[in-house]
Amino acid sequence: MTQTPEDLRYTEEHEWVRRIAPTRVRVGITDYAQSQLGDVVFVQLPETDADVAAADSIAEVESTKSVSDIYAPLSAKVVAVNDKLSSAPETLNTDPYGEGWLFELEVSDAASLDVTLGELLDAAGYQGVIGG
């Protein structure tokens, strides 16, 4: 059974978004996404301090089956990346909602982040996307 935590927001491209500060979010791939990928063997993360636009491809996850693009769930600045994934990419498989996070994004104001997060899918909406 695929895990879909209720406290996260989701994209149709299988990214999850967790608010960790008034203007900051942490982003990763969903349990469903990692299960579809299979064993993750390499992760290419975005550059810190890069400005990204919503829906831009900003990272890649390579598995034994395929290479998948990771898209920015919102327009923001990349303020942190999970460097641990370079030496332990399999963390995406074992802990996709915890230690397997990919990057953190920051926006200029909390109100705009409220609006953006409200436009993303909730857990039930994401379950509808994956047929859960």
Side-chain angles (χ1 to χ4, degrees), residues 93-108:
N93 295 118
T94 59
D95 193 9
Y97 297 116
E99 293 300 312
W101 63 276
L102 295 170
F103 50 85
E104 293 180 0
L105 301 174
E106 188 152 27
V107 298
S108 56

Side-chain angles (χ1 to χ4, degrees), residues 37-110:
L37 283 168
D39 294 333
V40 175
V41 296
F42 179 75
V43 179
Q44 179 184 341
L45 297 169
E47 294 290 323
T48 305
D49 292 327
D51 290 315
V52 297
D56 279 359
S57 172
I58 63 168
E60 282 185 350
V61 174
E62 185 176 329
S63 72
T64 54
K65 292 182 183 178
S66 66
V67 175
S68 296
D69 287 329
I70 305 299
Y71 300 94
L74 52 114
S75 297
K77 180 183 284 288
V78 178
V79 292
V81 297
N82 188 351
D83 291 325
K84 293 178 186 172
L85 296 178
S86 59
S87 60
E90 67 278 2
T91 307
L92 284 177
N93 295 118
T94 59
D95 193 9
Y97 297 116
E99 293 300 312
W101 63 276
L102 295 170
F103 50 85
E104 293 180 0
L105 301 174
E106 188 152 27
V107 298
S108 56
D109 71 283

Side-chain angles (χ1 to χ4, degrees), residues 1-4 6 14 30-33 35-36 97 121-132:
M1 171 101 182
T2 300
Q3 296 179 24
T4 310
E6 295 285 332
H14 311 292
T30 64
D31 186 41
Y32 175 82
S35 70
Q36 295 299 302
Y97 297 116
L121 299 167
D122 62 10
Y126 182 66
Q127 282 291 323
V129 168
I130 62 174

